[in-house]
Amino acid sequence: MIMRIAIAGAGNVGRSIAQELIENGHQVMLIERQPRMLRPERVPDARWVLADACELTSLEEADLAGCDVVVAATGDDKANLVVSLLAKTEFAVPRVVARINRAENEWLFTEQWGVDVAVSKPRVMAALVEEAVTVGDLVRLMTFRQGEANLVEITLPPTAPYVGQPLRAVPLPRDAALVAILRGKRVLVPSPDDPIEAGDELIFVCTTEVEDAVRAVVLGPDSVERTRESR
């Protein structure tokens, strides 16, 4: 499905997102209010609009209502919240993704502000660092605000209780789903007959409430207490 996507903010982050989405076949509009940041040659296949994405009239002229997704990617959290709220309440955009620049503002990026998915760049970077070095713990990679669900990762140590057993043997709690297995350089779509191996990186979507239960099942009942003691 080809989507029409508007990105507010044409800095490094906005341009990088735009380029990747265009390469995946989508139609992208970059909205930037500072003339010096207007660099169409950097992403020539995008539609560039010089406008303030926090102004209702600018968004109307850009036909935001015709977009499938809006990405608030500026370096200003206040601007990203305003863009998200306008996109959702005034233009009924189905999906709004917002960038969080300052960790102390993270609590604001909720569905009340029109945000479906909030991404904190420092958090994602920290999570990726943790994910690369942490074996035997649960690492939260991303939060999906509207559904209060999280994308989490667990790298299996050799001592994990279900290593060598098929996925059907793993009694995951409700509100938790295994969505991918990263094994070396391969990305595997899980099936019930697949055995899990030491070193596998298991990617789950689950609610916050069942994270401890997922950890206990995958890593063993005492893993939750060990994690709390180490913090």
Side-chain angles (χ1 to χ4, degrees):
M1 173 186 171
I2 297 176
M3 295 186 294
R4 185 166 182 260
I5 301 162
I7 301 173
N12 290 333
V13 173
R15 293 198 307 270
S16 176
I17 296 169
Q19 189 60 56
E20 185 167 344
L21 291 169
I22 288 169
E23 288 173 0
N24 290 338
H26 301 296
Q27 299 174 3
V28 175
M29 171 173 59
L30 276 163
I31 305 173
E32 175 56 54
R33 68 183 181 86
Q34 298 185 43
R36 64 182 179 81
M37 296 296 293
L38 219 64
R39 299 172 180 174
E41 71 281 359
R42 296 285 183 92
V43 191
D45 293 325
R47 174 190 170 198
W48 288 72
V49 176
L50 179 62
D52 187 343
C54 293
E55 292 184 357
L56 191 60
T57 53
S58 297
L59 298 179
E60 288 174 344
E61 290 173 4
D63 189 26
L64 210 72
C67 291
D68 301 295
V69 183
V70 165
V71 181
T74 80
D76 184 332
D77 284 342
K78 294 190 294 294
N80 289 343
L81 286 170
V82 171
V83 171
S84 299
L85 188 63
L86 290 175
K88 187 65 72 175
T89 60
E90 298 294 330
F91 299 97
V93 175
R95 188 165 181 80
V96 177
V97 179
R99 171 189 178 190
I100 307 170
N101 295 279
R102 299 179 65 87
E104 62 266 29
N105 296 330
E106 188 171 353
W107 65 277
L108 288 165
F109 285 73
T110 65
E111 61 180 318
Q112 282 74 32
W113 277 94
V115 179
D116 295 310
V117 181
V119 181
S120 170
K121 192 177 179 186
R123 166 179 280 188
V124 171
M125 291 174 67
L128 290 174
V129 170
E130 288 184 323
E131 181 264 332
V133 300
T134 302
V135 175
D137 195 9
L138 180 147
V139 177
R140 187 181 295 174
L141 300 176
M142 186 179 293
T143 297
F144 302 95
R145 290 294 180 182
Q146 192 172 33
E148 293 300 318
N150 302 315
L151 188 70
V152 303
E153 183 269 352
I154 296 176
T155 300
L156 289 182
T159 55
Y162 293 97
V163 166
Q165 297 190 42
L167 285 171
R168 63 159 52 91
V170 184
L172 287 176
R174 289 183 60 186
D175 301 323
L178 178 65
V179 295
I181 300 173
L182 308 184
R183 183 174 295 160
K185 295 184 178 181
R186 299 177 62 201
V187 178
L188 308 177
V189 178
S191 70
D193 295 324
D194 289 335
I196 54 177
E197 302 176 2
D200 280 355
E201 299 174 43
L202 307 183
I203 308 296
F204 298 90
V205 174
C206 64
T207 61
T208 303
E209 288 74 16
V210 301
E211 282 184 359
D212 280 350
V214 170
R215 183 189 282 113
V217 167
V218 175
L219 297 173
D222 61 340
S223 63
V224 176
E225 194 60 38
R226 286 200 313 269
T227 300
R228 286 173 179 164
E229 288 173 356
S230 67
R231 288 176 178 169

